Each structure stands twice: as structure tokens, then as C-alpha cells.
């Protein structure tokens, strides 16, 4: 329970176990997920380690498994989920699995290559079929034309009628002898092909083409490519040769096409029979492939987990020491002290399973090395811990800022986001993520995974935003008037106040004066900002002053909290010296300057004064530092001057206390021994003092981003209302409802993208920065290393 | 009973105005005080007790402080809102 407030106590333990039981024991420890193995062979390179061959074998098996998985997925065979999670991989399993995997791979590769060859043959035959059919059409057309009209065949080649060509080569006594080239080319390359033919031969050819329309049952190919059949009729063999070369260049496949109809018919019947045969063979091949893959798919999950576990175990064994007799394995592990018993039980269990007689020896040893930092988290706290660790993992057993961050981070976000309508949408979105997190994790998209990991953070951010939105009285830039405003207009009019009906007609804007009795009821609006400020034209004057002072108060409170946490750290590490030398001067410095600033703010708020005589707090503060009391009206209360002088003097005195006290004390302690370098200590202390004192001022100003971002958010929200939705709501004609529907869609899209996503990310980032820098530099060192146990669950989740 | 009544008449009646400030003040202080100070004692013992108690206390402190700042900032206003004249005209007739 206390482990979340600071990291757990860890111990270094030596384990001795027999080589036979090694696999079982490490397997048990992996399931437990609570020990981190230390590397006992840090000097050896990766390929010099003892089990490097076995690791390589495991990687090879993983490669084959990935190949298998690809093939299974490509053939749309579902992979059944594996529920046997307790499979223990033995060393002898390695060889079995290896041989079966190799066999499977060979088989599958063979099947694949056979299938590809068969498919190629099939495509060729289909193309020949189509080609023959098309050329049949050409020649038939030519024949019919020939029977109609008889043209002289001695005409020049430029009368490019198919008829003359047809006659010329069927009748052998014609002077013109034409040949043709028939083939199949890809559809998109055909225009280029035609163009080049024209360029080369200047029209001394006849080109006919037709697109192959594939029938449904012929679609055995994986990606049907559109192809065209073409026939080029030319004169002369040389030209034919050139065309052949051209076809090769365009990757068009040429087929020998016989001249007469009878031969073509025979060829077609041939092709058809062969097509039928091939179809049968292809079907059988596909069926066989499917059977093999289904059989493999049934075991795929189990094998993958097994291989992963084996690889992890061999990797861990590489970290251990094996003694000379090859019978004993020595391992050193980091383990949380509270879990020592479970580790011991797991080891005994493991050694019993392997049937060895000796139980492993667990020996806790003392060490000077720094243990890793382990924070036990559950699914709710893990998101917050990860954003803290992103900046720096805490030192061993120093205070963990995460439990406090769980509230302050969403709260500071909400101060900057501050709109209860948007907060409600965000909360609902987070609820949806929480309830459907399994479904979202299955999508395996990186961005969505990040969102799902942070679902509780988003939920809390939304909840706090609803609260701060209610206090800022801002819901999609409109205010609620639940309790009745404290300001009323009637007392401003005659006879009570200065206004008449004429004043109303004369000027566009009028100022309500709180000094006229009755205008301000004397009681502030009980919950949040008064709704009248939403309709006032000087709303920003009031809101800016309020939000700036609020930011400073929040900032100083946050930083004081951080400094107090450093006190807790000092007490835990029994460092009472530092309490007096560092904590006390730090707190006094901050309180005397910025605590006084907060006092001034609260005093000015609580005390009634006339607005002419109210001094500006900023000027008061600046004059206090400069000891400037010359100007009039610079006091809020009577004893202000001596109090302020006292506070500034005390603050200035804290600086040398911070700067010199600790180094001087250390110097006196180590005067005789030269182990510590005094220059280093002085420099370090000097840096710390400057960082702290200047940091107090700059960090306080940095908290003003709480004001800045909430102002930006409110203004953007108001723009969306005024320029988008209100425009549609003011339309009085009948089409207004349609326009309103369209405009609301635009309003919703803009709200989600600009205000929720963009502003949300921006406020998230700034709240995070405030935590990482302004809060944590008061107490957090963050230079530890994280505890990374051997855990099969974690490996499976990372898959 | 009548004596009590007479006794109460001796003490000055609290101003209606001041009462309207005291009520929200005490309600909110009580509410967040219960959440931050009383509910933590009732959280059952378990591994998460520390975290839940911390969260409750911090939430109570942050939210109470935020509300307090909002109400104190409006307690003694130095200037009033500046309204458009048609808003003033509307408020004259329709707001109390």
C-alpha cells in the first residue's frame, strides 16, 4: 500500500539451481513477473555468450512462424485463439519444433511455387483462347467484306482495308504477301504501343485490337489485369522482326497464330481441353494448400508463445553464470522484499516439475549498488506513473509524485480547459474508451493505443473540467443563472441612481456602479462567476484580473506543496541536516515573498475600498522589492511599510544561508580528509541556490499560463458561438431550420477538432510541463532506473 | 419556550445580506470538509487505501480553494459590468 508513495524496497538475491531444472525455474519466474535478472557477464559481447546458438535457432523459428502467419492470413483462414498458456518449453522441444517448422516451410514453399507455375500456364492458355477467338472475328469480318465487294489486291498498302490483306495472303498468286503478328498486351500500355508503331512504320500496317473481357469463372488469377488482344498486319519479314522486338519491349506475349481457320479451330479445342485440365489441377492444389495451412493455423498461437518463451529463457540464461562442472547455474536477481516468499515458492515449484531432487538455494546478499525503482501499479494508476516516468524515473525510494499527480494534473488541466460542456463531452468519450477498451486494443493502432492507455487520465480531466466549467460559468461559452445574479439594473435608474431614460438613449454602453446602493446586492454569486459578466462588454477586465490572481495563488500553493514533499524526503532518508540547511531557508524565502503576495491579494479582495484609492498589487509588490515608499496611496493597511521591509530583509538573508551554510558545514566535517572536493560542493550549492531563488520568481510567473490558456479557450468557444451557431439561429426565414442543421454540423466538427482535440492537447501539454518543471524541481531527482522484470505477460501484451 | 423566544430577541438578528453570504460559505466548507476530512476514515483497508485517501483529500483541497477564490474575487467589486443599452432595457423589465 505504501509502495505507491515511494518505490519499493528491493533486495539482491543470489539463486543457485541445477542445470536440468533451469528451464522450469526460469519459466516459473517468468510467469510470476517479479524478478529482474542482473547481467553477470557484462564484458562479453552478444555472440560470445553461451546460449547464442539456441537464441539464433529461436529467431529462425520465429521467422518461419511469421512466414506461416502471412500465408495463413493471405488465404483468409482464421487463426483460433490459444488458451493453453501454461505450456512449458523444454530444451528437447527445441529440436522437435525446429525440424517440424523446417518441414512445413519447405512444403509450403513447394506448394506455392507449383501453384504459381500452374497459374502462369493457365493464364497463357486463356490468353491464347481469347486471341484465337478475336482473330477469328477479324478474319470472319474480312471474309464477309470480301464477299460483298471485290477490291483489286494490287493497290498500294495505304488503302488499309483488311479485305485486301485478307485476299492477298489467302490467294498465293497475289503480289503482296502479308504477315501478321498476334499477341496480348496490357491494356494501359496499348496506346503507347500504337503510337510507336505509327512512328516507326508510318502507317504501313493494320492494327486491330479488342479488350479481353474476363468471364467470372475464369478469374483464377489473384489480381486480374486488363489485357488487350491485338493483331498487326504488315508486309515483309524484316518489319515483322522489328515488331517482334517492339512487342518484347512492351512485355507483350506473342502467340503463334495459324493462318487458316481449320488450324485455328483445332488449336482452340486443344487449348480448351488443356484449360479444363489445368482448372482441375489448380483446384486440387488450392485445396491441398488450404488443408496444410489450416492444420498449421491451429497450432500457430501455441507455437509462437512457446518460441517466444524459449527465446526469453535462453536470453536470461545468457545473463547467468554457469560454473565449471556445468551442473550449477548462478543467477543474481533484483526482487522486491515483500515478494521474496512467492519467488521462493515459484522456484520450488519449478524444480519439482523438472523432477530434480535438490531445491534451488535462495541467498539474499547485501550490496552497495543502487537497486532499480519499482512502483507497483494497477490499471488505474499506470497511466499517471508512465507520464511521470517519461520525464525521469525516480531515484531508489525517493518520493513518487504520481499519487499527487493523479489529482493535481487533471485539476490544472481543468483550470486551463474550464468549460463544462466540453468537459462533459470529454468525460463521455473517456467512459466510452473505458467500457470498450478490449475492442479498441484489438485495432492495434498506435494512436488509439495511446488514447486507451490514458483513458482514466482523460476521464478525470473531463470530470474536473465540468467542475471548473461550472465555476467559470462557461458552458459552450454560455452561462447558467441558477441562483440569481448579484447585480441588478433597476437601482441605477431614477430616483435611486443617476440614470434616466435619456441616458439610455444617448449612449451605447453604460457602466453599473457598485457604489450606488442596491446595484450590487452585497452577496457574491454563491457558486462561481456571476452570470452577468457573460453579457457584459467589459467582461475581460474582470475575468483577467480574477484569473491572473487565481493562477498565482494556485501556483504558489502547488510549489509550496512541492517543497513540503522535499521535507518528507529528507525525513525518510534521515537527512535532518538538510532540513535545517535547505528546507527551512527555501520555505521562508518563498513564504516571505510570494506568501505575502497571496496575502495582499486576499486582503484586497476581502476589504471594502473605493476603486480610486485601491492600489495595484503589482505596483505594491515591485515597490516593496525596491524599497520605494515615496508615491502616494501605496498602503493597503496601516503597518504595511515596516512589515514589508522586514519580509524583504528576511528573504534576502535566506540567500546566503542557502548558499554558504551547507558547504561550510561540510568543509568543517571533512577538513582533515581530502575526499570531497570543496570547489564542487560550492559550485553545486551555488547552482542550487540560484536555481531555487530565481526559479521561485520565474516559476510563479510561469503559472500565469493557467490564465492564458483558459482565456484562449473561452475566446475560441465564444467565436464558435458568435460566428457559427448564432448566425444560423438568427435566420428568421423558413429555410432557417435547414441552415441550422448544416451549421450545427459545422459547429460540432469545429468544436471537436479545435476545442477538444487541439485545446485539449495544448492544455494537457502545459499542465504536464507545470508538473515536470515547476512542481518537480522542488523535490524530485528522477535519475533512477526502472525495474524491468522478466514477465511473460508483459511480452504477450507487447506483441 | 417563551423564555427562549424572548432570549433570542435580545441577540441582534443577523443581516439578511450577510446571511446570504454565510450560507454558501458554510455549505461549501462543510461539503468539501466532509469529503476531505470525514469520508477518508470510512475507506476500507486494502492495498489502495492510501491512494484513495490522498485523492479525496487533494480533490477536496483543490476544489474548495478554487471555489473560494471565485467567491472572494467577487465579494467587494471595484467596478461593475458595462452593458449595452438594449440589454439594460431588457434587464430592467425582466430581471428581479
Amino acid at each position: 500500500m505504501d509502495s505507491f508513495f515511494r518505490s519499493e524496497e528491493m533486495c539482491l538475491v543470489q539463486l543457485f539451481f541445477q542445470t536440468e531444472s533451469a528451464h522450469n525455474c526460469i519459466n516459473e519466474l517468468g510467469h510470476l513477473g517479479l524478478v529482474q535478472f542482473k547481467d553477470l557477464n557484462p564484458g562479453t559481447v552478444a555472440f560470445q555468450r553461451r546460449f547464442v546458438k539456441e537464441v539464433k535457432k529461436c529467431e529462425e523459428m520465429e521467422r518461419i512462424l511469421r512466414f506461416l502467419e502471412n500465408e495463413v492470413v493471405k488465404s483468409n483462414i482464421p487463426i483460433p485463439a490459444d488458451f493453453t498458456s501454461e505450456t512449458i518449453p523444454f530444451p528437447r522441444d527445441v529440436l522437435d519444433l525446429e525440424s517440424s517448422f523446417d518441414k512445413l516451410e519447405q512444403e509450403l514453399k513447394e506448394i506455392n511455387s507449383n501453384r504459381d507455375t500452374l497459374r502462369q500456364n493457365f493464364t497463357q492458355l486463356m490468353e491464347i483462347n481469347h486471341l484465337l477467338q478475336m482473330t477469328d472475328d477479324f478474319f470472319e469480318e474480312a471474309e464477309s467484306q470480301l464477299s460483298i465487294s471485290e477490291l483489286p489486291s494490287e493497290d498500294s498498302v495505304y488503302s488499309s482495308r483488311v479485305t485486301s490483306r485478307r485476299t492477298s495472303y489467302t490467294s498465293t498468286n497475289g503480289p503482296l504477301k502479308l504477315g501478321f503478328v498476334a499477341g496480348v498486351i496490357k491494356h494501359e500500355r496499348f496506346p503507347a504501343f500504337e503510337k510507336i508503331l505509327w512512328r516507326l512504320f508510318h502507317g504501313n500496317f493494320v492494327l486491330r485490337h479488342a479488350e479481353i473481357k474476363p468471364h467470372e469463372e475464369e478469374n483464377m488469377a489473384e489480381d486480374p489485369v486488363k489485357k488487350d488482344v491485338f493483331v498487326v498486319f504488315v508486309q515483309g519479314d524484316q518489319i515483322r522482326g522489328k515488331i517482334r522486338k517492339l512487342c518484347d519491349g512492351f512485355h507483350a506475349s506473342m502467340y503463334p497464330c495459324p493462318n487458316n481457320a481449320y488450324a485455328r479451330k483445332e488449336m482452340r479445342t486443344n487449348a480448351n481441353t488443356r484449360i479444363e485440365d489445368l482448372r482441375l489441377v489448380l483446384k486440387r492444389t488450392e485445396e491441398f494448400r488450404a488443408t496444410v495451412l489450416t492444420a498449421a493455423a491451429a497450432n500457430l498461437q501455441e507455437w509462437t508463445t512457446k518460441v517466444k518463451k524459449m527465446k526469453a529463457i535462453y536470453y536470461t540464461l545468457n545473463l547467468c553464470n554457469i560454473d565449471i562442472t556445468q551442473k550449477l547455474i548462478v543467477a543474481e536477481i533484483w526482487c522486491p522484499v515483500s515478494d521474496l516468499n512467492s519467488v521462493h515458492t515459484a522456484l520450488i515449484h519449478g524444480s519439482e516439475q523438472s523432477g530434480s531432487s535438490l531445491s534451488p538455494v535462495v541467498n539474499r546478499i547485501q550490496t552497495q549498488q543502487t537497486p532499480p525503482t519499482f512502483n507497483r501499479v494497477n490499471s488505474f494508476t499506470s497511466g499517471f506513473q508512465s507520464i511521470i516516468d517519461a520525464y525521469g524515473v525516480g531515484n531508489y525510494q525517493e518520493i513518487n509524485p504520481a499519487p499527487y499527480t493523479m489529482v493535481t494534473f487533471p485539476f490544472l488541466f481543468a483550470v486551463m480547459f474550464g468549460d463544462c460542456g466540453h468537459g462533459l463531452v470529454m468525460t463521455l468519450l473517456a467512459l466510452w474508451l473505458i467500457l470498450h477498451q478490449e475492442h479498441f486494443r484489438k485495432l492495434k493502432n498506435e494512436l488509439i493505443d495511446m488514447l486507451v492507455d490514458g483513458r482514466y487520465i482523460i476521464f478525470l480531466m473531463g470530470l474536473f473540467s465540468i467542475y471548473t466549467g461550472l465555476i467559470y460559468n462557461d458552458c459552450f461559452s454560455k452561462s447558467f443563472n441558477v441562483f440569481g445574479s448579484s447585480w441588478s439594473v433597476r437601482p441605477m435608474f431614477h430616483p435611486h441612481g443617476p440614470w434616466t431614460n435619456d441616458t439610455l438613449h444617448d449612449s451605447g454602453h453604460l457602466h453599473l456602479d457598485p457604489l450606488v446602493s442596491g446595484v450590487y446586492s452585497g452577496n457574491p454569486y454563491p457558486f462561481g462567476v456571476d452570470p452577468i459578466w457573460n453579457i457584459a462588454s467589459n467582461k475581460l477586465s474582470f475575468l483577467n484580473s480574477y484569473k491572473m490572481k487565481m493562477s498565482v495563488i494556485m501556483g504558489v500553493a502547488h510549489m509550496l506543496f512541492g517543497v513540503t514533499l522535499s521535507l518528507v524526503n529528507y525525513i525518510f532518508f534521515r537527512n535532518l541536516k538538510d532540513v535545517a540547511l535547505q528546507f527551512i531557508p527555501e520555505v521562508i524565502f518563498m513564504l516571505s515573498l510570494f506568501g505575502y503576495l497571496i496575502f495582499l491579494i486576499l486582503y484586497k479582495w476581502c476589504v471594502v475600498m473605493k476603486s480610486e484609492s485601491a492600489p495595484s498589487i503589482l505596483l505594491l509588490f515591485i515597490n516593496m522589492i525596491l524599497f520605494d515608499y515615496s508615491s502616494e496611496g501605496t498602503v493597503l493597511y496601516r503597518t504595511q511599510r515596516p512589515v514589508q521591509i522586514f519580509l524583504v530583509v528576511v528573504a534576502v538573508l535566506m540567500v546566503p544561508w542557502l548558499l554558504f551554510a551547507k558547504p561550510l558545514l561540510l568543509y568543517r566535517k571533512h577538513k582533515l580528509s581530502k575526499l570531497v572536493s570543496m570547489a564542487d560542493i560550492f559550485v553545486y550549492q551555488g547552482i542550487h541556490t540560484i536555481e531555487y531563488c530565481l526559479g521561485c520568481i520565474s516559476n510563479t510567473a510561469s503559472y500565469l499560463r493557467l490564465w492564458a490558456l483558459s482565456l484562449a479557450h473561452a475566446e475560441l468557444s465564444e467565436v464558435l458561438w458568435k460566428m457559427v451557431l448564432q448566425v444560423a439561429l438568427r435566420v428568421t426565414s423558413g429555410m432557417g431550420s435547414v441552415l441550422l442543421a448544416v451549421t450545427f454540423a459545422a459547429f460540432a466538427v469545429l468544436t471537436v477538432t479545435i476545442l477538444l482535440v487541439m485545446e485539449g492537447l495544448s492544455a494537457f501539454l502545459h499542465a504536464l510541463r507545470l508538473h515536470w518543471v515547476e512542481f518537480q524541481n522542488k523535490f524530485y531527482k528522477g535519475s533512477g532506473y526502472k525495474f524491468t522484470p522478466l514477465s511473460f505477460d508483459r511480452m504477450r501484451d507487447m506483441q | 419556550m417563551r423564555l427562549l423566544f424572548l432570549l433570542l430577541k435580545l441577540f441582534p438578528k443577523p443581516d439578511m445580506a450577510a446571511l446570504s453570504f454565510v450560507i454558501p460559505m458554510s455549505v461549501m466548507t462543510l461539503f468539501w470538509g466532509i469529503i476531505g476530512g470525514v469520508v477518508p476514515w470510512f475507506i476500507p483497508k486494502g492495498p489502495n487505501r492510501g491512494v484513495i485517501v490522498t485523492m479525496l483529500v487533494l480533490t477536496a483541497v483543490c476544489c474548495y480553494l478554487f471555489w473560494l477564490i471565485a467567491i472572494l474575487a467577487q465579494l467587494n467589486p471595484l467596478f461593475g459590468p458595462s452593458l449595452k443599452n438594449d440589454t439594460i432595457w431588457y434587464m430592467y423589465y425582466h430581471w428581479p
Side-chain angles (χ1 to χ4, degrees), chain A residues 487 511-515 520 533 542 545 549 604-605 607-615, chain B residues 73-80:
Chain A
W487 296 83
H511 233 102
L512 266 71
D513 187 357
L515 291 174
Y520 174 63
W533 290 107
F542 167 72
S545 153
K549 293 178 181 170
K604 192 173 172 193
W605 274 345
V607 164
V608 182
M609 59 183 73
K610 293 169 86 89
S611 81
E612 298 83 42
S613 61
Chain B
Q74 302 175 87
L75 196 52
N76 298 306
L78 288 171
F79 61 93

Side-chain angles (χ1 to χ4, degrees), chain A residues 490 510 520 523 528 537-538 606, chain B residues 17 20 67 74 76 81-83 92:
Chain A
R490 286 199 196 133
L510 286 172
Y520 174 63
N523 307 311
S537 50
N538 63 346
C606 293
Chain B
S20 277
W67 169 83
Q74 302 175 87
N76 298 306
S82 154
L83 302 165
Y92 184 83

Side-chain angles (χ1 to χ4, degrees), chain A residues 1 4-5 378 404 406-407 411 464 467-468 471-472 481 485 487-490 493 504 507-512 514 520 523-524 526-530 532-533 535-538 542 546 550 553-554 602 605-609 611, chain B residues 16-21 24 28 32 46-51 54-56 58-59 62-89 91-96:
Chain A
M1 159 183 114
F4 196 49
F5 288 92
N378 53 28
Y404 315 106
M406 273 165 37
V407 168
F411 181 71
F464 277 107
Y467 181 76
T468 56
I471 299 233
Y472 285 152
N481 188 354
S485 173
W487 296 83
S488 78
V489 157
R490 286 199 196 133
F493 284 94
L504 213 53
S507 41
H509 287 257
L510 286 172
H511 233 102
L512 266 71
Y520 174 63
N523 307 311
F527 190 79
V529 170
D530 200 302
I532 200 170
W533 290 107
I535 47 180
S537 50
N538 63 346
F542 167 72
Y546 154 63
M550 179 266 302
I553 297 178
M554 293 265 125
L602 289 174
W605 274 345
C606 293
V607 164
V608 182
M609 59 183 73
S611 81
Chain B
M16 273 321 285
L19 195 64
S20 277
F21 174 63
M28 289 298 275
W32 289 116
N48 296 322
R49 183 164 195 257
V51 170
T54 312
M55 283 180 75
L56 282 172
L58 270 176
T59 312
C62 288
C63 293
Y64 180 65
L65 186 64
F66 198 62
W67 169 83
L68 190 67
I69 294 174
I71 200 171
L72 286 181
Q74 302 175 87
L75 196 52
N76 298 306
L78 288 171
F79 61 93
S82 154
L83 302 165
K84 279 207 309 217
N85 46 3
D86 38 4
T87 317
I88 296 177
W89 184 86
M91 283 170 67
Y92 184 83
Y93 289 107
H94 294 273
W95 274 30

